[in-house]
Amino acid sequence: MSIRVLLADDQELIRTGLRLFLDTQEEIDVVGEAQDGEEAVARAAELRPDVVVMDIRMPVLDGIAATTRLTATGRDHTPRVLILTTFDIDEYVYGALRAGAAGFLLKDAPRDRLLEAIRVVDAGDALLSPTVTRRLIQEFAARPSIAVHPSPLLDSLTPREREVLVLVARGLTNGEIAQKLVVTEATVKSHLGRVLAKIGARDRVQLVIFAYANGVAAADLDAS
């Protein structure tokens, strides 16, 4: 079955380029386009895409606000949102992830990376660039509002589960975590499942946000 994709970007040239590439992929069905966040929300309700490829800075309604609406609980249809961004607006990316985006990708990423990203978020996973994830952690760890009152949920994690949480927050894949901890990938998946359940997180993106918000990722990152 094809992955139904909605493209949301205020620049027609970018939308056209994305469509031209994605239309060559048999597994992708570009069902529509939107030139601002308001239109993206309306078209998503109409077209029911599996994935919305969303720009952040758009007129009328920006990508963060649109993502919040698209991922709100109680909606009849909730697509996965993949944010396209650039390095100079990391703070907006963090807001988008908190709003419920399944991941983000840099606009200068290779086309094959975009295709992979769409597949990943459609499968229910989260896509995080290790480089950008590290950059986000370092930037926001310095803010005084972070980790003032760590969540008591941290106490429910075992030492190994906490290790997994930190490594996920750094953007490592399950395979990379397995290699670092010298365990099997199946073991990592088992630990990850328990961490998700204990924290009540939907996916890896929310784990990264939780780790950052509670000072876990930043502290361990500085200590490593």
Side-chain angles (χ1 to χ4, degrees):
M1 181 179 292
S2 297
I3 302 172
R4 295 169 56 81
V5 174
L6 174 66
L7 304 175
D9 197 296
D10 62 326
Q11 298 184 48
E12 183 178 3
L13 186 61
I14 290 179
R15 296 198 311 272
T16 300
L18 290 173
R19 178 183 278 274
L20 286 174
F21 167 63
L22 294 175
D23 278 345
T24 67
Q25 308 299 313
E26 291 186 3
E27 66 193 285
I28 303 294
D29 179 15
V30 179
V31 296
E33 300 178 16
Q35 61 184 357
D36 59 59
E38 192 76 51
E39 185 179 9
V41 174
R43 299 228 70 193
E46 171 192 355
L47 301 171
R48 303 175 70 85
D50 300 307
V51 176
V52 177
V53 178
M54 181 88 72
D55 185 23
I56 285 184
R57 294 195 288 196
M58 294 185 291
V60 185
L61 187 72
D62 64 35
I64 296 175
T67 297
T68 298
R69 292 191 188 181
L70 288 172
T71 61
T73 57
R75 286 182 60 88
D76 180 52
H77 174 69
T78 305
R80 302 282 286 176
V81 178
L82 174 65
I83 295 291
L84 289 182
T85 187
T86 54
F87 275 120
D88 63 339
I89 52 172
D90 285 347
E91 63 272 24
Y92 296 125
V93 175
Y94 184 78
L97 297 181
R98 292 195 65 180
F104 57 86
L105 192 68
L106 301 179
K107 282 190 174 181
D108 61 357
R111 293 185 302 175
D112 288 347
R113 181 64 170 157
L114 171 62
L115 186 59
E116 177 192 359
I118 292 173
R119 291 171 180 153
V120 168
V121 299
D122 177 63
D125 294 324
L127 184 99
L128 293 171
S129 162
T131 301
V132 179
T133 300
R134 177 179 290 265
R135 185 180 170 98
L136 285 171
I137 291 170
Q138 291 174 337
E139 176 178 349
F140 289 103
R143 298 193 177 188
S145 60
I146 302 305
V148 175
H149 301 292
S151 170
L153 292 175
L154 283 173
D155 296 333
S156 69
L157 301 180
T158 66
R160 179 46 59 94
E161 288 167 354
R162 188 181 176 109
E163 283 184 285
V164 170
L165 172 62
V166 170
L167 295 175
V168 167
R170 294 186 192 178
L172 272 65
T173 65
N174 287 351
E176 291 167 339
I177 294 173
Q179 184 175 19
K180 189 171 184 64
L181 297 182
V182 195
V183 297
T184 66
E185 192 166 342
T187 298
V188 172
K189 290 180 179 179
S190 178
H191 287 311
L192 183 58
R194 287 195 292 271
V195 173
L196 286 166
K198 288 181 178 181
I199 291 176
R202 181 180 61 241
D203 54 31
R204 296 172 89 96
V205 170
Q206 292 195 340
L207 286 185
V208 170
I209 295 170
F210 178 87
Y212 148 70
N214 288 279
V216 176
D220 285 83
L221 190 62
D222 292 337
S224 61

